[in-house]
Amino acid sequence: MRNLSLPLALTARISPVVVLAAAGWALTSGPATTPAAEKESAPQSADETPSGASTAAASKRYAAAPAPCGSIGTATIKSLVPGAKTAGKEIPSTDTALRRTCSWNALKGYDYRWLDVSFEITESDAAAAKSYKENTAEKSGGGSVPGVGDAGYSVVNLTTEDKQQTREGVVIIQASNALVTVTYNGSDFESKKAPSTDEINKGAIKAAKEAVAALESGQKA
């Protein structure tokens, strides 16, 4: 077997994940203020009491991201990333309660596969929906993924570098105040071809469904 080196695009594949993980997320909130005169002249309604504020805060469904490396079944990892360590590798994050990512990758023979699963916990359903809309708008050409979470989107793209093809699929799911993002790609270094669109798309969606199931069965706020 001849010596092979991964294309630059693949060896640099982990960099965006690390940058995103290192960036972390910051949540800010501030209580509404009421003029003193209004406080004295008007009685408080139920919604204005501290208990009303607590009820609003409780509408946040997910309080923390689940352990990402345990979100995908062993059989699925073996199928999607042959030769990879099923335990995966979690990417360091500045706040693991808000964002956690796990990666699996392996070169078996001439076939290379990479899988990322990422969880992001936002401050509200509306914040997650806004982020979902922005992220999917940046990845045009895909289609919806029905029956998973509150909204789902899948897109597959082909890139070529030094005559080596790589096909990558991305699935983004919004589930209440959480976002689940799966990235799955592959290359064949012998033929220099990439796996089919169908293989990559179905693999990414399968992983996304398992990740969402792990989120839903995990700890909630």
Side-chain angles (χ1 to χ4, degrees), residues 93-173:
S93 172
T94 56
D95 192 338
T96 55
L98 302 182
R99 182 181 179 89
R100 298 183 73 174
T101 300
C102 189
S103 291
W104 297 262
N105 63 87
L107 177 64
K108 186 173 183 180
Y110 294 97
D111 289 326
Y112 178 78
R113 296 291 185 275
W114 184 296
L115 174 67
D116 283 348
V117 175
S118 176
F119 294 93
E120 296 176 11
I121 304 300
T122 69
E123 58 191 9
S124 65
D125 290 14
K130 179 181 179 181
S131 183
Y132 171 85
K133 184 176 181 181
E134 293 172 347
N135 289 335
T136 55
E138 294 174 356
K139 303 180 185 299
S140 61
S144 64
V145 179
V148 187
D150 297 314
Y153 180 81
S154 175
V155 63
V156 179
N157 289 307
L158 178 68
T159 59
T160 302
E161 183 176 332
D162 296 332
K163 298 182 179 180
Q164 173 65 60
Q165 293 182 345
T166 299
R167 184 166 272 116
E168 179 171 279
V170 177
V171 175
I172 304 172
I173 306 292

Side-chain angles (χ1 to χ4, degrees), residues 25-105:
W25 288 77
L27 302 180
T28 59
S29 61
T33 57
T34 305
E38 293 182 9
K39 289 182 180 179
E40 295 175 358
S41 60
Q44 285 186 322
S45 67
D47 291 338
E48 293 173 329
T49 63
S51 61
S54 298
T55 301
S59 65
K60 178 179 175 180
R61 184 176 186 185
Y62 298 109
C69 293
S71 65
I72 307 298
T74 298
T76 300
I77 296 300
K78 290 181 177 179
S79 173
L80 298 183
V81 194
K85 294 181 179 179
T86 56
K89 180 179 181 180
E90 184 162 358
I91 306 302
S93 172
T94 56
D95 192 338
T96 55
L98 302 182
R99 182 181 179 89
R100 298 183 73 174
T101 300
C102 189
S103 291
W104 297 262
N105 63 87

